[in-house]
Amino acid sequence: MIRFENVGMRYGGEEEILTDINFELEAGSFHFLTGPSGAGKSSLLKLLSLSHRHSRGRLTCFEKDIGEAQRSGLIKLRRRIGIVFQEFRLLDHLTALENVALPLHIMGVKRKEVQSNAEEILEWVGLGHKTNALPPTLSGGEKQRVAIARAVVTKPQLLLADEPTGNVDPDMAERIMKLFVELNKMGTTLLIATHDPQLVARYHVPILKLHEGRLSYGR
Amino acid sequence: MAAEDKKTRTSFLEVSFLGRLKTFYFLPPKEKSNRFLPLIIAVMAYLTLLGSATGLAIFNATNAWSTNLSQVLTVQIVHPEARERERQTRAVMEVLEDTAGVIEARAIPENELEALLEPWLGVGNVTDDLPVPAMVSVTIRQGSQIDTAALNARLRVRAPDASLDDHQQWIGRLTSLSNMVQVAVFVSIALIVLTTVAMVVFATKSALAAHRETVEIMHLIGAKDSLIASEFRKLFMLHGFKGGLIGLIAAMLTITLILYLAARIGGGLLPRLYLTAGQMTLLGLVPFLTSLLSMWTADMTVRHALGKMV
Ligand SMILES: Nc1ncnc2c1ncn2[C@@H]1O[C@H](COP(=O)(O)OP(=O)(O)OP(=O)(O)O)[C@@H](O)[C@H]1O
Ligand SMILES: [Mg+2]
């Protein structure tokens, strides 16, 4: 489903942040992406979420060559991808419920359905009582859960999560991981960036290790 | 009743189709990045309206004037002696009665002529010593092509001191003045429109910068350019309409005042200044034009900016 062949990436004209990245994500697979801070995990997720263009090599996403895809084509592909940003990136003036409902609304889903799906998923991440809260009034962990709810509400084919358990207690982390595993079982391809070794140890899934912009497989 | 925290915004999850016109969807409800744009647009609309009104009023006045004048010929008989003037005047009247196309020929009585001169010379100052020329006012049938040179020649045979004035030179000058004013008004309006477009482009860019994060998030979760642009279209349509309306109200007050003052002067000194109902209606469309212009400009600007995103 996703294939990187000798992919390089840079910000502006500087040297490459990611160099010669080669890997493949099969449909329905589950991988961790690890590496020290600054290794380029978030940058790699930017390539995968189609928010940044690679500067070298060949990137295939949903059988489409991203290097040659048109802008309008990328917009359609993005709707098949859910992403939990490391810094959440919620819209501060929309309520938790509206933030979660936004991706469905954008896709043109009927309003009633949007509302019930968004409520259901918020309930699931334990925020059923915070539907009308604005993000600035939420705690870090609560914001994170809203961000997760927004990423999964469309039942994306590819789910990218950047440190999704970084701000929550172990119980909530467990709960969130359970949701991810559930989605994975239903066919969602999963890639979770984390530098939490305990989390990685608990799940026996393949690991992509980033170190100074280079990628290696491991377990 | 307790002061419940009043909802300042209707959610996109609740609004009806019509409600969408005034509800913002992902931009903050109190979007303040361009508070001054409506005022700027109001000034531009005001200038446009005053310019257009001036142009139209001058057009109307010169049009009416030259239409009236082209139906009137004037024969002037200049002779120092009153008796000779009267003789030639009678001769002129006889010639005119035999001329096809002439509806009416009227010798203007001396006291009327004096009345015309009084505003300049003062009452009672027009003495018998002052040789006032005799005047015959000739009304011709609309559309009849009178050969003025031939008529002049025929008049001269019987009244050597008569001369025919068909006002063509005067009409010609009037028309070129009116044309010049219209070109100037048109150029001014074109410049104002260009300036307005530039202002809206800047304003849109600053709104985009103020809401960069919001726009980026919308883009990243799969919003189409048209959807993102629609929010800005709505915002700038409102700015444009507000500005146009303020400008229209101010301009209408000014124009009414000017027309009132012009009407008060009255008399034959100034041509009558007026606007037709159709022209007024046309000016009333300005708020719609400014909202369309503002909306369209913002749309293009946003799409252009989004086009640079991946
Ligand atoms: N927008 C940007 N412009 C320029 N350089 C950037 C940008 N974002 C990240 N970088 C650089 O790219 C490198 C990788 O950053 P990235 O955020 O991908 O690391 P990371 O592995 O996600 O780190 P962390 O675990 O701390 O989140 C860093 O050296 C960072 O300084
Ligand atoms: Mg990171």
Side-chain angles (χ1 to χ4, degrees):
Chain A
M1 183 154 90
I2 305 286
R3 192 158 63 240
F4 277 57
E5 294 164 82
N6 296 321
V7 168
M9 172 193 176
R10 55 162 59 100
Y11 290 104
E14 298 141 48
E15 58 184 295
E16 286 190 333
I17 298 289
L18 299 172
T19 309
D20 289 332
I21 306 290
N22 283 288
F23 72 94
E24 197 167 339
L25 298 181
E26 307 247 328
S29 62
F30 179 178
H31 291 79
F32 278 121
L33 176 63
T34 66
S37 184
K41 300 185 293 296
S42 298
S43 305
L44 185 63
L45 291 185
K46 276 187 201 163
L47 290 184
L48 281 163
S49 61
L50 311 177
S51 64
H52 204 282
R53 285 209 185 254
H54 58 292
S55 48
R56 194 164 55 81
R58 191 179 157 91
L59 200 169
T60 319
C61 186
F62 298 111
E63 326 312 330
K64 291 228 166 56
D65 187 335
I66 298 305
E68 282 168 12
Q70 301 252 312
R71 259 192 97 246
S72 53
L74 294 186
I75 289 169
K76 289 205 195 88
L77 290 184
R78 260 185 217 112
R79 296 184 173 187
R80 297 157 75 172
I81 302 171
I83 176 152
V84 184
F85 298 101
Q86 191 167 11
E87 57 280 17
F88 319 135
R89 305 188 78 170
L90 301 172
L91 297 190
D92 282 349
H93 52 276
L94 296 187
T95 64
L97 184 69
E98 287 166 347
N99 265 287
V100 175
L102 208 49
L104 289 174
H105 188 74
I106 284 172
M107 288 182 182
V109 177
K110 277 201 211 90
R111 207 189 304 163
K112 257 195 176 156
E113 212 175 311
V114 169
Q115 176 126 11
S116 63
N117 283 3
E119 274 167 358
E120 189 184 329
I121 209 89
L122 264 182
E123 195 74 48
W124 215 99
V125 295
L127 289 176
H129 59 297
K130 292 278 190 183
T131 49
N132 286 322
L134 296 176
T137 69
L138 296 174
S139 76
E142 287 169 335
K143 276 188 239 184
Q144 185 146 43
R145 282 181 276 157
V146 175
I148 290 168
R150 182 179 68 185
V152 302
V153 73
T154 55
K155 302 197 173 62
Q157 284 167 268
L158 173 64
L159 180 60
L160 309 167
D162 204 347
E163 304 285 357
T165 57
N167 292 277
V168 295
D169 58 64
D171 275 359
M172 188 44 73
E174 190 68 28
R175 226 180 128 108
I176 288 168
M177 284 308 295
K178 251 193 191 150
L179 171 64
F180 285 166
V181 169
E182 198 119 327
L183 286 167
N184 178 242
K185 278 185 188 147
M186 280 157 55
T188 300
T189 309
L190 200 55
L191 182 64
I192 299 177
T194 180
H195 41 211
D196 178 358
Q198 288 185 345
L199 187 70
V200 177
R202 249 199 326 265
Y203 294 85
H204 288 272
V205 298
I207 302 172
L208 302 170
K209 285 184 182 160
L210 261 181
H211 190 74
E212 290 177 357
R214 290 179 181 272
L215 189 83
S216 58
Y217 274 95
R219 175 60 262 179
Chain B
M1 246 192 276
E4 288 274 311
D5 59 320
K6 251 213 243 151
K7 265 198 149 180
T8 49
R9 192 177 57 85
T10 322
S11 165
F12 66 86
L13 291 169
E14 295 163 4
V15 297
S16 60
F17 179 76
L18 268 181
R20 277 186 205 182
L21 266 180
K22 55 181 169 60
T23 314
F24 287 109
Y25 160 24
F26 60 83
L27 286 182
K30 290 262 179 286
E31 208 287 331
K32 278 195 184 141
S33 60
N34 284 301
R35 259 174 304 174
F36 298 112
L37 186 64
L39 270 181
I40 294 170
I41 293 180
V43 171
M44 298 297 180
Y46 181 76
L47 295 176
T48 305
L49 283 161
L50 282 199
S52 315
T54 310
L56 289 170
I58 289 182
F59 173 79
N60 292 344
T62 51
N63 224 16
W65 226 359
S66 58
T67 318
N68 285 345
L69 283 180
S70 57
Q71 274 173 263
V72 177
L73 304 176
T74 309
V75 183
Q76 211 178 134
I77 300 115
V78 187
H79 197 279
E81 273 179 41
R83 245 198 287 138
E84 179 59 14
R85 276 208 302 272
E86 273 160 32
R87 191 199 64 75
Q88 292 199 19
T89 305
R90 276 195 302 279
V92 163
M93 297 290 285
E94 277 163 26
V95 173
L96 287 170
E97 264 157 38
D98 284 345
T99 307
V102 171
I103 297 175
E104 193 202 358
R106 191 173 79 92
I108 299 176
E110 212 155 301
N111 55 356
E112 248 180 70
L113 283 174
E114 281 169 18
L116 279 175
L117 290 174
E118 263 166 13
W120 281 274
L121 300 178
V123 182
N125 290 340
V126 187
T127 62
D128 290 344
D129 304 337
L130 194 72
V132 177
M135 304 273 258
V136 177
S137 171
V138 188
T139 310
I140 57 177
R141 198 176 300 124
Q142 203 164 13
S144 66
Q145 295 293 319
I146 287 191
D147 184 345
T148 46
L151 180 57
N152 201 19
R154 277 172 56 218
L155 288 170
R156 284 288 174 88
V157 173
R158 305 263 321 262
D161 296 311
S163 65
L164 180 70
D165 183 4
D166 62 357
H167 314 293
Q168 276 316 314
Q169 203 181 17
W170 172 239
I171 290 173
R173 285 185 191 156
L174 207 58
T175 311
S176 50
L177 169 69
S178 163
N179 288 347
M180 190 55 225
V181 169
Q182 273 158 63
V183 169
V185 165
F186 183 81
V187 170
S188 315
I189 291 175
L191 290 176
I192 291 172
V193 168
L194 283 180
T195 313
T196 309
V197 167
M199 300 301 306
V200 175
V201 168
F202 286 133
T204 311
K205 283 187 173 169
S206 84
L208 272 172
H211 305 296
R212 170 138 205 110
E213 173 72 0
T214 301
V215 168
E216 237 175 73
I217 293 169
M218 291 299 288
H219 179 66
L220 287 178
I221 62 178
K224 284 186 191 156
D225 292 357
S226 54
L227 184 123
I228 297 175
S230 73
E231 189 93 332
F232 287 91
R233 277 205 301 273
K234 186 160 53 181
L235 178 64
F236 281 85
M237 185 187 76
L238 290 175
H239 283 332
F241 190 76
K242 254 188 237 166
L245 199 61
I246 297 170
L248 178 68
I249 292 170
M252 282 304 170
L253 289 177
T254 313
I255 292 168
T256 312
L257 189 66
I258 291 177
L259 291 182
Y260 166 73
L261 291 177
R264 220 174 51 163
I265 294 174
L269 276 181
L270 272 181
R272 203 165 77 81
L273 290 177
Y274 67 96
L275 295 176
T276 66
Q279 290 166 339
M280 283 285 201
T281 313
L282 209 64
L283 297 185
L285 293 179
V286 158
F288 299 98
L289 298 180
T290 51
S291 61
L292 280 179
L293 184 71
S294 170
M295 178 177 95
W296 175 80
T297 308
D299 186 71
M300 301 296 272
T301 311
V302 171
R303 282 172 193 266
H304 181 76
L306 289 175
K308 288 186 191 161
M309 287 187 181
V310 176

